[in-house]
Amino acid sequence: VRTLEGMTVRETILVARMFGSHPTTPALAASDVEILLERTGLSEQGDLYGSQLTYIDQKRVELARALATQPQLLLLDEWLAGLNPTELQIGIQLIDKIRREGVTIIMVEHVMEAIRALCDQVYVMNAGELIAQGKPDQVLSEPRVLQVYLGTDDAEA
């Protein structure tokens, strides 16, 4: 997680909005920033600096910054990693909300709870090789997936 030193949450999102896929002026971007703050649950943190934020809020800033560029496709690489159970639920709900708003999301993720809750299609790779693909419950119960991610002893149980 990286926040921009010396910039507030609001300023960080503003810069991303100004130079995203549809560049605009600061004045026009400002209203979009307020919407993004609300959308990502950061309305109360807009005037804070990154060092003042909790870990989940730092991750939300990263997400808001990415959304400010108005992507059609969003890649989330281990975005849910390191969150406690409460934060994980917040993160899953936020990603689900964004997905339902029409943004296509590709996730690289190891949190099985999130995969089951958020993914329509799962691709499992091991050492660069695709070893399974399909619906989450189907893929996550395949013996080869269990063997690779849980180990041989656990896969046989």
Side-chain angles (χ1 to χ4, degrees), residues 20-130:
S21 61
H22 299 92
T24 188
T25 65
L28 293 174
S31 64
D32 290 344
V33 170
E34 297 308 312
I35 292 167
L36 284 164
L37 287 168
E38 176 69 30
R39 189 174 171 195
T40 55
L42 291 167
S43 295
E44 301 296 318
Q45 291 84 359
D47 295 321
L48 298 178
Y49 293 89
S51 62
Q52 298 174 295
L53 300 172
T54 64
Y55 189 59
I56 183 70
D57 287 343
Q58 289 177 16
K59 286 187 172 241
R60 286 189 222 201
V61 171
E62 286 186 328
L63 188 56
R65 187 172 56 202
L67 292 171
T69 67
Q70 301 179 328
Q72 293 179 344
L73 174 68
L74 182 64
L75 174 61
L76 298 178
D77 187 4
E78 298 286 348
W79 193 81
L80 297 165
L83 299 178
N84 68 41
T86 301
E87 293 170 336
L88 178 61
Q89 291 310 308
I90 292 167
I92 288 172
Q93 290 170 5
L94 181 55
I95 293 169
D96 188 50
K97 177 182 166 186
I98 292 164
R99 181 174 79 113
R100 291 178 190 277
E101 290 171 353
V103 177
T104 300
I105 300 173
I106 295 177
M107 295 175 57
V108 176
E109 190 58 66
H110 288 88
V111 177
M112 294 302 116
E113 181 179 351
I115 291 170
R116 281 191 171 93
L118 296 169
C119 298
D120 299 320
Q121 190 74 11
V122 176
Y123 296 84
V124 178
M125 299 190 71
N126 182 46
E129 174 191 356
L130 180 65

